[in-house]
Amino acid sequence: MRPLFHPAIEDVRPEAILHALADPNRAAIFAKIMRAGCVEACSALAAVGDRVIPKSSLSNHFKVLREAGLIRSERHGVEVRNSSRWAEVEARFPGLLTGIINAYASDAGADSADATAAGPR
Amino acid sequence: MRPLFHPAIEDVRPEAILHALADPNRAAIFAKIMRAGCVEACSALAAVGDRVIPKSSLSNHFKVLREAGLIRSERHGVEVRNSSRWAEVEARFPGLLTGIINAYASDAGADSADATAAGPR
DNA sequence: TCCAACAGTTCCGAAGTTCCGAACTATGGG
DNA sequence: CCCATAGTTCGGAACTTCGGAACTGTTGGA
């Protein structure tokens, strides 16, 4: 197991963030990590809405979010804790995450992701 | 040739917008349409930075932007004029496009897209 | 009217990406 | 040491993207 690479905040690219959050599952996971007081184990997020996401897909989603610079993951014994890098990303790209999370939230009335009420962190 | 489908603004999904703008070429094209007084022929955008984009790829990029609800395309004789749907999208998802375009613009100092801050309309 | 030039679109194969089950690797407890 | 738990890696099927060649539709000229 490789030691979990995180990009420095100045290496974070907007296209990576958009790509990561263009998947509603990942956007929902990210929104949940933000709202959940900032730390969540991977397995706590296995279900998004009514759909169960297989472990291998989940693992990949976390990798994409991590490498986009959106979350920070640390191994704590047997589990991995994820925290959002909201503040850093917001400082680098002001308004970007807010706009995206609000867009999903305002769309959620119609269907899908439980990304309701985008309170920052 | 099919008659150019545009989604109604209420059918526009955030994931489609993020997906469309997650490609730096498309983001640059969109930024250019916005800044260029709102109407541009496809061929006027064939080169993004120093790279020449093949016609077929361009055609596809426009299709993705159109179907995401970001631009409106109309045939005028032999050419297609594209205008941005900024106002509509901004009304539906406030701050989303602003955040994205600013993110690319503030990243442009480092490289890539010529989406440098607010050109003449 | 016919033809060439032009602006875009469609088609299709190669290359790349994503998804997910199965097998695997750490870590911690008994 | 062995098992359970939490996550990762592998690999193949399904999907997406890219771009060249061939196509369609429009216009202007002979």
Side-chain angles (χ1 to χ4, degrees):
Chain A
M1 275 172 186
R2 262 185 278 46
L4 297 178
F5 170 75
H6 296 84
I9 192 65
E10 65 271 17
D11 293 334
V12 169
R13 330 241 61 220
E15 58 265 41
I17 292 180
L18 297 198
H19 173 76
L21 296 179
D23 181 313
N25 284 336
R26 280 194 296 256
I29 290 171
F30 180 65
K32 214 162 173 182
I33 291 176
M34 274 179 20
R35 280 184 285 108
C38 230
V39 171
E40 283 283 288
C42 295
S43 53
L45 299 149
V48 165
D50 50 354
R51 197 156 129 43
V52 174
I53 302 176
K55 285 206 306 174
S56 55
S57 309
L58 253 193
S59 182
N60 189 51
H61 287 328
F62 280 103
K63 185 174 166 222
V64 172
L65 290 171
R66 193 184 328 116
E67 297 187 349
L70 288 166
I71 63 174
R72 195 175 290 285
S73 311
E74 299 165 85
R75 291 184 204 286
H76 278 260
V78 78
E79 69 183 16
V80 174
R81 311 267 186 80
N82 298 286
S83 49
S84 101
R85 295 178 70 183
W86 170 285
E88 287 171 89
V89 176
E90 193 63 12
R92 176 141 159 68
F93 299 123
L96 180 59
L97 295 184
T98 313
I100 295 173
I101 296 300
N102 284 343
Y104 273 110
S106 79
D107 187 57
D111 79 282
S112 73
D114 61 328
T116 38
R121 29 168 335 165
Chain B
M1 275 170 189
R2 264 184 272 32
L4 296 177
F5 170 75
H6 296 84
I9 192 65
E10 65 271 16
D11 293 335
V12 169
R13 329 240 60 221
E15 58 266 41
I17 292 180
L18 297 198
H19 172 77
L21 296 179
D23 180 312
N25 284 336
R26 280 192 299 254
I29 290 171
F30 180 65
K32 216 163 171 180
I33 291 175
M34 273 179 20
R35 280 184 288 109
C38 232
V39 170
E40 282 284 287
C42 296
S43 53
L45 299 148
V48 166
D50 50 354
R51 197 156 130 42
V52 174
I53 303 175
K55 286 203 309 174
S56 56
S57 308
L58 252 194
S59 182
N60 189 51
H61 287 328
F62 280 103
K63 185 174 166 222
V64 172
L65 289 171
R66 192 184 329 115
E67 296 187 347
L70 288 166
I71 63 175
R72 194 175 291 285
S73 312
E74 299 164 86
R75 292 184 204 286
H76 278 259
V78 78
E79 67 182 18
V80 174
R81 311 266 186 80
N82 298 286
S83 49
S84 100
R85 296 178 71 184
W86 170 284
E88 288 171 87
V89 177
E90 193 63 13
R92 176 139 160 68
F93 300 123
L96 180 59
L97 295 183
T98 313
I100 295 172
I101 295 300
N102 285 343
Y104 274 110
S106 78
D107 187 57
D111 80 281
S112 74
D114 62 326
T116 39
R121 29 170 342 182

